[in-house]
Amino acid sequence: EKKLQNRSYVYGFDEVPAHCEPQLRQVFGAVKEAFPGLNTMAAINWEHLPTDLPLDIWVLQYQLFDEFGLEASRTWTEAGKDLWLYHCIEPGGPQYLNTFAERPSIQGRLLFWLAALWEIQYGRPTGWLYYEMNVWKPCNGPSCGGAVHKHPIAWLSEGDFRGTAFTDWPEANFIWQGQY
């Protein structure tokens, strides 16, 4: 039982702005009070994250690690907390690595090598949140051309997000969050 609890996560507050800190404290504080051994995780792209947050795993968009995450993440990990990185639809510019289908497939592999390099150099990140979104359905809305189906893929505007996996690469374990 305890072993599974130590490898389980409560994930929430995806990319919320800093003014949501009181809500994060309230919700994750209640989780910690009820289940002290259960890890809490959030993708938060704040430049400064208070180390007293009831958060065990700070997930930072990978391109921000270089920009402002080195010092902030050092403070975070010195407090005994984990830092994971992630990628998603952003960063989307051609200068960034990503797993988009239209990109060379080597980019997806290089993301994790980059994380491993940083772990060797800086001792962090210690994991990667791999966000997977599979959306392929007809779109009849004005954002994609209506009944003409100019664009057969309805991206974020349709709100159909499926399947998220978390990976802690030393053990290469995947935990599927499922559909929501």
Side-chain angles (χ1 to χ4, degrees):
E1 295 176 0
K2 296 268 184 197
K3 290 180 184 178
L4 288 178
Q5 187 180 36
N6 291 336
R7 302 219 22 101
S8 300
Y9 308 91
V10 173
Y11 180 85
F13 297 95
D14 189 67
E15 298 180 339
V16 295
H19 68 78
C20 293
E21 183 181 332
Q23 291 85 355
L24 189 146
R25 286 183 181 279
Q26 181 182 11
V27 171
F28 281 161
V31 168
K32 288 300 205 180
E33 188 175 321
F35 306 99
L38 191 59
N39 291 308
T40 54
M41 173 192 284
I44 299 176
N45 296 315
W46 306 346
E47 190 165 349
H48 302 286
L49 199 64
T51 57
D52 68 337
L53 280 175
L55 184 67
D56 299 300
I57 304 167
W58 173 19
V59 186
L60 179 67
Q61 207 168 89
Y62 89 89
Q63 84 280 9
L64 300 175
F65 183 71
D66 257 350
E67 188 177 321
F68 61 75
L70 286 174
E71 184 59 30
S73 66
R74 183 188 60 76
T75 304
W76 183 260
T77 56
E78 284 177 356
K81 299 184 177 219
D82 283 321
L83 174 82
W84 287 21
L85 300 178
Y86 77 102
H87 71 287
C88 59
I89 195 109
E90 292 296 332
Q95 71 274 29
Y96 296 107
L97 299 171
N98 213 309
T99 55
F100 298 135
E102 65 273 9
R103 298 282 183 91
S105 60
I106 189 69
Q107 286 195 9
R109 292 178 182 95
L110 289 175
L111 274 171
F112 302 108
W113 282 105
L114 177 63
L117 174 66
W118 283 341
E119 185 181 21
I120 290 167
Q121 289 178 324
Y122 307 112
R124 56 199 177 280
T126 55
W128 194 278
L129 171 72
Y130 184 84
Y131 178 84
E132 173 77 26
M133 184 176 99
N134 298 315
V135 178
W136 188 267
K137 63 181 184 178
C139 177
N140 291 316
S143 65
C144 63
V148 179
H149 297 295
K150 291 181 183 175
H151 306 286
I153 301 172
W155 295 102
L156 299 175
S157 63
E158 294 296 316
D160 186 7
F161 303 95
R162 298 183 187 174
T164 303
F166 300 100
T167 179
D168 181 1
W169 61 72
E171 290 87 14
N173 290 323
F174 290 89
I175 302 168
W176 289 98
Q177 186 178 355
Q179 295 187 10
Y180 49 93

